[in-house]
Every structure is written in C-alpha cells, then in structure tokens.
Amino acid sequence: MRKGLIAAFLLLVTTVLYACGGNDEGGDASSDGKTTLDFWVFGATNYEALAEDYMEENPDVEINIKNSELGDHHNSLFTAVSAGTGAPDLAMVEIDQLDRYREAQDRFVNLYDMGAEDIQDQYLDWKWNMAENGEGDFLFGLPTDIGPKAMYYHTEVMSNAGLPTDPQEVSDMISTPDEFAEAANTVLEETGKPMVDSMEIAFRAHMDALEVSYFNRDGELLIENEDNGVKEAYDYAVELQQQGVVGEYEMWTPEWANALNEGGFAVEMAPAWLKGYMTENAPDGSGNWRVTKLPGEFAGNWGGSYVTIPAETENEEAAYDFAKWMLSPENQLKSFTESGLFPSTPETYEMDEFKNNEDEYFGGQNTAEVFAEAAKEIPAVYKGPNYVTVNDEVLTALRNVQEGGDPEEEWNAAVTRIKDILKR
C-alpha cells in the first residue's frame, strides 16, 4: 500500500509540473527558453523583415507570423476571440473592421494598462482616437499605416481638356465639390472621357469624410435621418453619373488597370497605397500621373490598420514591447519605403528620407508630402460593427443605378435590405 501511495504521489507531482511548465505550442516560452509570439497579419507588409530585425536585437524572443487574406484573417480572429481560445499574441485589425470587435472589448488587452499613453504623442490624433472605446479609457490597438486620400490626375487628359497640369494649379482650380463637377464636365466635353472611374469612387468622395455615417455609438441606424451624410454622398455620385462624367471601370479589374495605363479617365480619388498598385500594374502610365490635394469636403481616410493584443495571450508584455518597437516613427519609415505603408506618425514626415522621396512614376514629384498634408486634415470617424455589410448594400444600389436603375427606388430598396439584415 505504501509503495502504491508513493507512486500515486509521484504521478501527481509529475502531472502538476507538466501543467505548470506548459508545452512548446501554447506556453510562455519555447523549449529553448525563448518567448514565442504568434502574430497574425494580412496584406503586403514588411513586418516579416521587421520581426527578423527585432529577433536579432532580442534573441530571447521568437516571432511567428501568419499572413492571410483580409477576409479570412478577420473571420478567423473573430472566431478565436469569441471562443476565448486559439487567438494569437498579436493581430492586425483593419480600420473598417475595428468596430466589429468593440463588443468583445474584454477579449483584448487594454493598451492603456500597458503604458500606451506614454507614446500617444507619436501618432496622429484622429488615428489614435479611433482605437479608443466610447469612454476613452480603453485602447484596442497601436496605429499602423493610414490611407490618406488625394487626387491622382492624368496630365495628358487634363491638358487635352485645356485644364492646368501643375499640382498646385489643379488644387486651386478644384477646391470644392462644385468645382470638381465643373472640371468633370469640361473634361467630358473636350475629351469625351469620364472624370472618375466608377460610382463607388464618386460616392466615397463624400463618404470617407463623414465623422458619423451609418450608425452612432449607440448602434442606431442613421441613414433615414434627413441630415444624414450618406444620402448626400449617394446623391452626389448619382448627380455625377447623370451628367455622364462617371466611368464604368470597376477597381482591380484588367479593364481598370488598362484605363490607368492609357488615361481612360482623368481622376482617381484614392489613398496613398494606390501608388504601389499603379506602379506594378499600369507601367505605361508612368510619367503621366500626378497627385494633388482633394477639396476639403473630400478629406478622408481609406484603409490602414491597428495591432491589437488578444487577452488570452500569456505574453502581453513581450507582445506590447514588440508592437511598440515595430510601429515607432523610425520603423514606420522603413514600412513606407519598403512596402508603401503610409505612416501614422507625423515625426516620420520630417525625416530626410521621407522629405526627399521622389516618385519616378509621378514625374519625380514628392507625392509623400501631398499625402502627409492630407493626413493632417482627416477627421476621426465612427463606423460601427456592421459598417462593411451595410456599405455593401449601398454600393449595390449605386451599381444598379449605373445599369439603369431609378436612384430613389434603388436607395429605398437598399435601406429595406439593410434593415432586414440588422434584424437577423
């Protein structure tokens, strides 16, 4: 009996020690004593290279990066944090998706508890504030890149329309939505070409500048309110389409890339990240495109992300230290020069490599300065958990209008679909 008790005791001790020690896949440290961080990302970033640099400087840390498509990434992350298991130590969250996670605030580490207020002044106010909860005492993530919008324009199309081609002169000529419409009609009359590529881009002109769009922070649907800006954005896009100045080029299609190549339309109202796509997919457009600021009413952001720390991590200090290092002004400059991620850190805008940046594709223009100025005029916006789903219904309505649908009927049908979706 005594031998049996001793054996049972040793088995219990062994079990407890194993449980406390964890295993190689889920514990604080790997078998060689390193702290292992799993980091989920999406899209084209240089975060793998930065992680290598960090591990070289911090040999006691190992960082495993998993890169997925945007939709798959967010669905997997939402499933993991909802279940309370399977989430990584760090995860990117795209700006349009951020509000989807606010209802699961307790599933993330509050970065204010990690001392994030000490680095708050490194980032643009609007970008930082969008990652706070409604009370301002919880920070979901640290800012990564941003998508400040500007006006890309084709110099040959503008010249053939008898319009200026110097960036400052174009900005002076098109400083309001009405002046944009006037220039659009001139382009159409003189060249037969549309001003913008699609209904979506015409819609986003106003839409991306709205501080409040589909929902308020109480979750109330606002699009039927008389003063709601979404309907104004919709009506502006419809007005331009009825004037014949909107093209039928859907973004990312071969036809759209070909139009960028050949100057099939005059203007693209888009964020800084479009430059990389144009350089790679519309090489024949090199030298013909320039960038200038949009009218103030169109100042908005399109894209960008945050790095969050899911609450189930056992390595929150190590995760925060890496995120803070990776998203510093110096490393955001590296992300900009290596991957085209536009910095959310104004200090980066004053660095020599940023200020002396020249884009051969854009005729040697320093387009970075244009986007940096645009970044400072962007408002903090609230989108709501169902923003992407609801916005897709309005875009469907606009496509139907372009195909001959009645604008008011399509709007009302979209509102009905949205209400039905929100009831589910």
Side-chain angles (χ1 to χ4, degrees):
M1 181 178 290
R2 186 178 179 184
K3 289 182 179 179
L5 289 173
I6 292 173
F9 176 75
L10 290 175
L11 178 62
L12 176 62
V13 170
T14 301
T15 303
V16 171
L17 288 175
Y18 179 81
C20 292
N23 56 43
D24 290 347
E25 295 181 355
D28 287 332
S30 60
S31 58
D32 57 4
K34 291 185 177 182
T35 297
T36 301
L37 300 176
D38 291 326
F39 182 18
W40 290 3
V41 307
F42 61 87
T45 71
N46 72 327
Y47 293 162
E48 289 87 350
L50 286 176
E52 291 292 336
D53 291 344
Y54 188 80
M55 287 187 286
E56 188 172 333
E57 294 179 17
N58 301 269
D60 59 335
V61 177
E62 181 177 341
I63 302 168
N64 300 318
I65 293 183
K66 174 187 174 183
N67 196 318
S68 306
E69 293 295 324
L70 185 144
D72 292 340
H73 168 89
H74 287 95
N75 288 336
S76 296
L77 179 62
F78 192 81
T79 298
V81 298
S82 297
T85 183
D89 299 282
L90 304 107
M92 287 177 65
V93 173
E94 201 267 343
I95 197 166
D96 284 354
Q97 299 277 346
L98 184 63
D99 290 332
R100 178 182 179 189
Y101 296 89
R102 291 188 189 275
E103 296 173 358
Q105 176 176 306
D106 61 330
R107 304 301 174 91
F108 291 88
V109 173
N110 181 0
L111 299 190
Y112 280 138
D113 291 341
M114 308 300 296
E117 66 277 359
D118 294 338
I119 59 172
Q120 181 173 353
D121 60 357
Q122 294 181 6
Y123 300 90
L124 291 162
D125 287 342
W126 65 266
K127 176 74 172 184
W128 184 276
N129 293 341
M130 284 182 66
E132 291 183 328
N133 65 352
E135 293 73 32
D137 58 6
F138 189 101
L139 188 71
F140 283 88
L142 293 183
T144 63
D145 60 314
I146 56 175
K149 291 176 62 178
M151 183 161 59
Y152 296 76
Y153 63 93
H154 196 279
T155 56
E156 185 176 315
V157 176
M158 298 289 278
S159 177
N160 289 342
L163 300 175
T165 59
D166 175 77
Q168 186 59 54
E169 292 179 4
V170 173
S171 176
D172 291 341
M173 176 186 67
I174 304 176
S175 61
T176 68
D178 287 343
E179 289 177 348
F180 184 89
E182 290 173 12
N185 279 281
T186 299
V187 167
L188 180 65
E189 291 168 5
E190 299 297 327
T191 71
K193 295 183 177 182
M195 183 71 159
V196 294
D197 57 343
S198 66
M199 288 287 275
E200 178 178 359
I201 296 302
F203 171 66
R204 295 194 74 134
H206 278 292
M207 186 67 186
D208 289 332
L210 297 178
E211 295 185 40
V212 177
S213 53
Y214 295 114
F215 304 94
N216 60 23
R217 286 189 177 272
D218 294 325
E220 298 172 321
L221 185 65
L222 304 177
I223 57 175
E224 291 187 285
N225 293 3
E226 289 186 6
D227 59 347
N228 183 250
V230 177
K231 186 59 162 61
E232 180 183 355
Y234 179 91
D235 289 342
Y236 184 75
V238 168
E239 179 184 350
L240 292 182
Q241 192 269 341
Q242 291 176 338
Q243 293 174 9
V245 299
V246 178
E248 298 184 12
Y249 300 104
E250 185 177 349
M251 289 187 82
W252 319 125
T253 62
E255 294 77 14
W256 178 71
N258 190 55
L260 289 172
N261 250 328
E262 300 179 352
F265 53 88
V267 163
E268 184 66 86
M269 293 180 281
W273 47 254
L274 183 65
K275 295 194 305 176
Y277 178 91
M278 294 174 71
T279 301
E280 294 180 9
N281 296 279
D284 294 343
S286 180
N288 292 323
W289 289 91
R290 299 290 186 276
V291 178
T292 192
K293 66 182 295 186
L294 284 164
E297 292 90 336
F298 293 167
N301 180 76
W302 181 357
S305 302
Y306 296 88
V307 171
T308 65
I309 301 177
E312 71 180 78
T313 180
E314 297 177 354
N315 304 301
E316 61 183 41
E317 290 285 352
Y320 177 72
D321 287 344
F322 170 62
K324 181 173 63 172
W325 176 88
M326 186 183 75
L327 300 173
S328 67
E330 294 79 12
N331 283 325
Q332 289 215 22
L333 177 64
K334 290 183 180 179
S335 295
F336 171 69
T337 57
E338 295 174 11
S339 296
L341 302 182
F342 201 84
S344 57
T345 46
E347 183 181 332
T348 307
Y349 308 158
E350 303 304 319
M351 295 179 180
D352 289 342
E353 193 171 354
F354 185 92
K355 293 172 69 173
N356 298 326
N357 181 275
E358 293 184 355
D359 286 310
E360 181 180 350
Y361 187 94
F362 295 90
Q365 181 187 7
N366 183 353
T367 60
E369 290 186 335
V370 178
F371 289 106
E373 286 303 310
K376 299 172 185 177
E377 299 178 6
I378 295 170
V381 304
Y382 177 75
K383 297 194 172 184
N386 294 298
Y387 176 87
V388 175
T389 300
V390 170
N391 191 63
D392 284 345
E393 295 302 327
V394 176
L395 294 181
T396 296
L398 288 169
R399 284 192 291 270
N400 292 342
V401 170
Q402 191 148 33
E403 294 173 2
D406 178 83
E408 285 305 309
E409 290 180 3
E410 293 298 338
W411 171 261
N412 292 332
V415 171
T416 298
R417 292 195 302 271
I418 289 167
K419 288 180 175 180
D420 289 342
I421 290 170
L422 296 178
K423 288 177 182 177
R424 297 173 191 169

